[in-house]
Amino acid sequence: MSEDQTLRCQALTRSGNQCRNRPANGASYCRLHVPAGRTNSSSNGAAEHAPSSSSESLSRLDMLLAALEEEIRAQPAPDDRPAAMGDLIALIRNTLDRWTPELLRNTLDFLRQNINSDYLDPDFWRGLAMILRYQLDANTDLVKRRLRGTYELDPFGLDYELLELVKPFMRFMYYRYWRVEMTGVEHVPESGRALLVANHSGVLPWDGAMIATGIMELHPSARLVRNLHLTWFSQLPFIAPLLSRFGQVQALPDNAERLLNNDELVCVFPEGLKGVGKLYQDRYKLARFGRGGFVKIALRTGAPMIPVAVVGAEEIHPMLANAEPIAKILGFPFFPLTPTWPWLGPLGFIPLPSKWYIQIGEPIPTAQYGPEGAEDPLLVSQLTNRVRDTIQDMLLKKLEERSGVFLGE
Amino acid sequence: MAEQTVLVTGAAGRWGSRLVRHLSKRHGYRLIGLDLRDPQQQFEGVRFVRADLTNPQLVELLRTERVDTVVHLVFASGLEPGSPRLSSEEAFQINVMGTHEVLAACYASNVRQVVLKSSTIVYGAQVDNPLYLREQAPLRARRSAMPNLRDRLEIESAVDAFRQRHRRPAIAILRFPGILGPTIRSSLARYLAQPAPPTLLGFDPLYQIIHEDDVVAALAHVVEHGGDGPYNIAADGVLALSQLIRRCGRQPLPVAHPLASWLQRLLPGGRQQVIRELLPFDADYLRYPWIVDTRRMREELQFEPRYTADETIQAFASALRLRPFADIIERRRQAARQFQKHEGPDDDDTIAIAGEQNGDQSLPKPLPFQQEEQS
């Protein structure tokens, strides 16, 4: 027990209990209570510390808030009050990046003063109103900015602001809807160019979105994946600009090379249309891998190829048949008939909640062949087959392991 | 350093007059301006020659004046408000045949460098365009997609054919995207000045723009340092079309694209003009990307535009906001000028202009040259 004591922060909380946070490295106090002179009785502790850069101050405030939340939740709760406060602070933490540092500091100080104060205290409600008003302002600011066009696009049309907006939805699809399990993220390099090569399935390109979400969530440097999408999508209204704003680029050799030369992380689906337009009976059988165009690009840019196997995406829109005459009339490359589409109308767009596994394999280096390797047809076809076989093996192994389509193991 | 003799054709037009003004402030140039119209403004040390391009004396002029560099900026776009409407045959004569004449004359004399101005529109907006088209990309624009596009493509292919056959003179052809700025009224500027510029529902391609000063600076840069072949010239940064419109304080008016192309293609000639005013771009240019790679500009020309895309649209938007006032001032100024001309002494200049305005029959009817307006 005494050993446990030394691992705790030495400070007392406002309620008089021992602080339960772990102390910072080598110190006797946790991050919240350091330094000793500025325990929670000091109202402007954070303000005095204001570090120079805003990102630094943000991360510091984030830590402070985390500690504060923990502290509140740790308090003995005679009623549900501290828990409610904890939720409030959790809310603040989640929206942290949209706050100005001064406002954060003020809010933080206010909260720290009022942890033990009563709900009847008008200051508490004033503070709450301030937080809500700030939220509202931040959101109207966003709308104003969108209407005035004063936002930035990267050279490939990526709009970070929009990406931030859809992230919560993507996280929901990733963690809750398809309960994706991603393995092998460590094979994705920290920085620098790399070409992910994945199997394509599921009629709509959700697989690319989930690979991107997974790497954004799990990779230590939260890398952005640039999926290369079919030319067909660039013809579609609404979808074309959306894909572009989310950093997806049309699958053209020129585009892929440019991205890789910019040291981006690019994801390619060599099966292309044959992959997404696969019938349910052919699921997990890799279609033809194009003519090895992706290998040539990897060779030309010296980017390692990383095989990726996606299991579960085949079942989101089980394509029972392809109504070719309708596709021809509409000018679509294929017209899927699934259990829900087109019978249920727009509801047919809702994918089935299968359980997904995304495996990222070991990188296949290409730098040793040099750019001239791209001109060697034998090498290109060898590498193409190697990548294809690797992905097919990974798929089959995972398929054997999994017990059910929807519930997983 | 020996003085460089530069001949600017279309010197009284928009780009010609700007370039002449720009170069006249620098040292080391002997400038000759060539145009059918009289220049609106005289510059010190600049000689203006009123002549027709198809004039066989052009070779003589180039030889006797020992012209080193020719900047050919004549382009009849027929889009400028108040300009006489040219038939497409007349415009072709001026634009394409005129360029042929100039190239032939330059070849026959000692000209070392020819500079031409073109547009990135020639690449054509296609669904499978890579982001950032390189100079060697095929020019896939539909000839009928926009007025004058045929002429631009013809000029491009004429230059290409010429460069394949002859090593001299070096021909630099600068391809600019939409030109914006505080004063220029390019087709993109007119499009953005509408209260609600029409866009295609569900499409929002990336656009590149360039500041009008950078257009002049790029032309001057090539005059100074030389260049050979096509160069894409564009400001740093890309903007979505909707962003361009919103920056100007407008809101886009989305139109379903089958309707837009139907309106553009099926309406009979006369009515088409109305649609052109609203939608100067072919629907494809509002749908697919046609942005260009500027590596050659940076590495070979070593030219850096002064304004980024952001600053350019900023400059244009603030000018747009002030435009109603600027128009009033301009009208006042013109009225004052008119008044002065009637009251002032009868100098030669006044007579020449008055004669032209009255359609004096004794003067050879000049071809109505206009400077290019199209972005």
Side-chain angles (χ1 to χ4, degrees):
Chain A
M1 195 62 206
S2 63
E3 195 186 299
D4 190 55
Q5 284 288 317
T6 59
L7 280 175
R8 299 286 180 201
C9 169
Q10 298 295 303
L12 293 181
T13 59
R14 273 181 82 90
S15 52
N17 297 332
Q18 172 78 42
C19 174
R20 296 206 196 169
N21 292 331
R22 296 197 174 265
N25 285 348
S28 51
Y29 294 96
C30 70
R31 286 170 186 134
L32 183 68
H33 294 125
V34 90
R38 294 191 192 117
T39 49
N40 47 14
S41 61
S42 155
S43 63
N44 51 358
E48 284 165 26
H49 279 276
S52 51
S53 80
S54 71
S55 70
E56 208 180 306
S57 79
L58 265 183
S59 63
R60 194 177 146 65
L61 283 164
D62 186 45
M63 289 190 304
L64 283 168
L65 275 170
L68 189 60
E69 189 189 343
E70 203 178 316
E71 182 187 335
I72 291 168
R73 288 193 192 281
Q75 278 182 28
D79 49 10
D80 59 349
R81 199 191 70 187
M85 279 299 278
D87 287 344
L88 182 63
I89 287 164
L91 173 81
I92 297 168
R93 265 190 79 208
N94 288 340
T95 54
L96 198 65
D97 47 339
R98 283 194 257 147
W99 292 51
T100 59
E102 313 95 88
L103 187 96
L104 250 175
R105 242 177 269 133
N106 293 341
T107 316
L108 191 68
D109 295 340
F110 160 76
L111 283 169
R112 290 171 68 187
Q113 282 168 12
N114 287 283
I115 282 166
N116 285 329
S117 64
D118 200 36
Y119 270 153
L120 292 174
D121 186 348
D123 272 351
F124 174 80
W125 294 104
R126 224 173 278 149
L128 205 61
M130 186 176 74
I131 291 164
L132 291 177
R133 205 186 60 209
Y134 182 75
Q135 281 270 28
L136 196 69
D137 280 354
N139 287 329
T140 45
D141 262 8
L142 179 78
V143 172
K144 271 188 210 156
R145 219 169 26 247
R146 304 305 299 186
L147 285 179
R148 288 185 191 145
T150 48
Y151 51 88
E152 298 270 317
L153 297 184
D154 91 331
F156 295 93
L158 170 69
D159 185 342
Y160 282 100
E161 215 168 77
L162 222 53
L163 194 67
E164 285 301 320
L165 279 183
V166 296
K167 259 188 191 168
F169 172 68
M170 285 303 172
R171 279 198 205 112
F172 164 78
M173 293 308 269
Y174 185 87
Y175 288 115
R176 304 257 174 271
Y177 200 77
W178 284 311
R179 296 143 286 146
V180 186
E181 277 177 31
M182 184 178 262
T183 50
V185 193
E186 66 278 4
H187 295 312
V188 178
E190 229 9 59
S191 61
R193 60 191 74 177
L195 185 66
L196 299 169
V197 186
N199 61 316
H200 211 5
S201 51
V203 183
L204 291 175
W206 279 110
D207 43 1
M210 287 302 112
I211 292 172
T213 311
I215 289 176
M216 185 84 84
E217 288 285 304
L218 302 180
H219 194 268
S221 39
R223 293 197 69 175
L224 177 83
V225 180
R226 308 275 193 165
N227 287 304
L228 298 179
H229 64 75
L230 296 165
T231 297
W232 180 56
F233 289 122
S234 297
Q235 296 179 18
L236 300 179
F238 304 106
I239 291 175
L242 268 185
L243 285 172
S244 160
R245 291 310 160 268
F246 295 146
Q248 320 293 295
V249 175
Q250 202 187 125
L252 293 168
D254 265 18
N255 288 348
E257 253 187 86
R258 185 175 293 274
L259 283 165
L260 287 171
N261 282 329
N262 271 7
D263 281 335
E264 301 263 0
L265 182 60
V266 180
C267 182
V268 67
F269 302 92
E271 290 173 281
L273 264 184
K274 284 179 211 67
V276 281
K278 215 182 287 171
L279 291 181
Y280 189 63
Q281 62 193 39
D282 300 326
R283 62 190 181 278
Y284 300 115
K285 275 183 224 154
L286 287 185
R288 184 159 57 82
F289 256 29
R291 284 172 293 272
F294 70 98
V295 176
K296 282 185 205 160
I297 288 159
L299 285 168
R300 247 179 257 143
T301 56
M305 294 185 287
I306 305 174
V308 178
V310 183
V311 171
E314 290 274 18
E315 286 89 1
I316 61 170
H317 286 295
M319 184 165 152
L320 303 176
N322 178 12
E324 267 175 78
I326 303 179
K328 223 170 247 176
I329 292 168
L330 295 177
F332 290 0
F334 58 91
F335 189 86
L337 300 178
T338 73
T340 53
W341 172 263
W343 333 112
L344 299 184
L347 289 180
F349 278 111
I350 299 175
L352 298 180
S354 52
K355 165 90 182 165
W356 284 31
Y357 304 89
I358 299 177
Q359 282 178 294
I360 301 173
E362 282 195 25
I364 300 168
T366 58
Q368 73 267 33
Y369 305 107
E372 59 280 357
E375 310 309 323
D376 180 356
L378 191 68
L379 177 68
V380 170
S381 79
Q382 271 173 357
L383 281 172
T384 310
N385 288 334
R386 191 171 149 201
V387 176
R388 192 175 181 277
D389 293 345
T390 314
I391 297 173
Q392 186 71 73
D393 284 351
M394 281 155 72
L395 283 176
L396 292 176
K397 211 180 269 171
K398 195 72 216 173
L399 282 173
E400 265 174 37
E401 278 172 33
R402 80 166 178 177
S403 50
V405 171
F406 294 103
L407 291 175
E409 286 142 276
Chain B
M1 200 185 95
E3 238 187 8
Q4 197 185 346
T5 306
V6 182
L7 178 90
V8 179
T9 69
R14 274 165 194 262
W15 297 114
S17 58
R18 276 159 212 252
L19 181 67
V20 167
R21 190 192 310 145
H22 185 93
L23 290 176
S24 70
K25 286 182 201 148
R26 298 191 165 195
H27 297 289
Y29 295 112
R30 200 160 65 86
L31 292 169
I32 305 169
L34 185 75
D35 205 308
L36 274 173
R37 297 166 292 181
D38 278 302
Q40 291 196 330
Q41 205 185 336
Q42 291 284 352
F43 300 102
E44 208 180 314
V46 181
R47 229 181 88 202
F48 272 99
V49 180
R50 252 183 92 168
D52 190 343
L53 270 187
T54 49
N55 195 329
Q57 286 174 328
L58 181 62
V59 186
E60 276 308 308
L61 178 74
L62 293 175
R63 276 186 187 154
T64 51
E65 296 290 339
R66 296 173 178 278
V67 173
D68 303 298
T69 304
V70 173
V71 188
H72 180 49
L73 293 174
V74 170
F75 192 88
S77 64
L79 281 169
E80 207 171 331
S83 67
R85 190 171 291 175
L86 295 171
S87 73
S88 74
E89 199 41 54
E90 283 168 322
F92 187 89
Q93 198 66 32
I94 295 167
N95 297 337
V96 183
M97 299 322 288
T99 306
H100 274 291
E101 299 262 355
V102 168
L103 291 182
C106 291
Y107 181 65
S109 54
N110 262 330
V111 174
R112 283 182 291 120
Q113 175 77 52
V114 178
V115 186
L116 293 167
K117 181 176 168 297
S118 183
S119 164
T120 59
I121 281 180
V122 293
Y123 291 112
Q126 303 280 345
V127 64
D128 55 348
N129 269 352
L131 288 173
Y132 302 102
L133 291 146
R134 297 215 188 101
E135 281 84 353
Q136 67 263 35
L139 306 181
R140 298 193 293 170
R142 264 189 311 118
R143 297 173 132 235
S144 59
M146 263 181 265
N148 301 313
L149 192 49
R150 178 194 60 171
D151 294 2
R152 286 195 183 285
L153 289 166
E154 286 282 350
I155 292 171
E156 288 273 359
S157 73
V159 169
D160 190 44
F162 191 92
R163 286 186 64 232
Q164 277 175 16
R165 263 178 284 127
H166 308 293
R167 295 184 144 259
R168 192 194 56 81
I171 307 174
I173 182 156
L174 308 186
R175 295 174 183 156
F176 296 99
I179 301 165
L180 292 178
T183 60
I184 194 70
R185 307 229 167 152
S186 61
S187 55
L188 180 64
R190 284 209 317 279
Y191 167 77
L192 292 173
Q194 300 173 85
T199 59
L200 292 190
L201 185 68
F203 289 100
D204 196 9
L206 297 178
Y207 263 61
Q208 275 171 329
I209 46 176
I210 185 132
H211 195 283
E212 54 184 75
D213 293 351
D214 278 329
V215 173
V216 177
L219 292 168
H221 184 93
V222 180
V223 168
E224 192 180 343
H225 302 283
D228 198 10
Y231 297 95
N232 296 328
I233 313 281
D236 237 9
V238 288
L239 292 149
L241 176 62
S242 66
Q243 221 180 343
L244 273 183
I245 295 170
R246 294 203 161 108
R247 286 279 177 93
C248 298
R250 314 297 205 244
Q251 290 301 322
L253 175 74
V255 181
H257 71 266
L259 183 71
S261 36
W262 179 79
L263 282 176
Q264 269 189 338
R265 278 169 210 171
L266 297 187
L267 277 185
R271 299 256 177 86
Q272 226 162 6
Q273 200 57 38
V274 181
I275 303 300
R276 291 260 186 251
E277 282 297 313
L278 278 169
L279 205 69
F281 296 105
D282 183 68
D284 281 350
Y285 289 85
L286 302 173
R287 193 173 175 189
Y288 302 129
W290 44 292
I291 53 179
V292 292
D293 184 20
T294 53
R295 196 188 309 160
R296 214 164 164 233
M297 166 188 93
R298 278 172 225 287
E299 287 170 13
E300 288 181 37
L301 275 188
Q302 296 190 329
F303 174 73
E304 284 288 340
R306 232 179 82 206
Y307 298 88
T308 64
D310 220 50
E311 290 160 352
T312 306
I313 188 69
Q314 199 62 45
F316 174 70
S318 34
L320 196 61
R321 244 168 263 138
L322 292 174
R323 190 174 276 183
F325 309 106
D327 282 348
I328 294 168
I329 293 167
E330 184 56 31
R331 239 173 285 141
R332 289 263 169 87
R333 202 174 278 158
Q334 266 174 6
R337 216 178 283 149
Q338 214 70 27
F339 182 75
Q340 272 174 4
K341 263 175 201 162
H342 288 299
E343 297 291 304
D346 275 357
D347 58 20
D348 288 350
D349 183 44
T350 318
I351 293 167
I353 289 169
E356 192 181 311
Q357 276 175 345
N358 299 335
D360 197 321
Q361 295 301 311
S362 63
L363 286 167
K365 196 181 169 210
L367 277 170
F369 276 94
Q370 277 179 278
Q371 287 324 294
E372 87 180 286
E373 259 282 283
Q374 211 169 314
S375 56

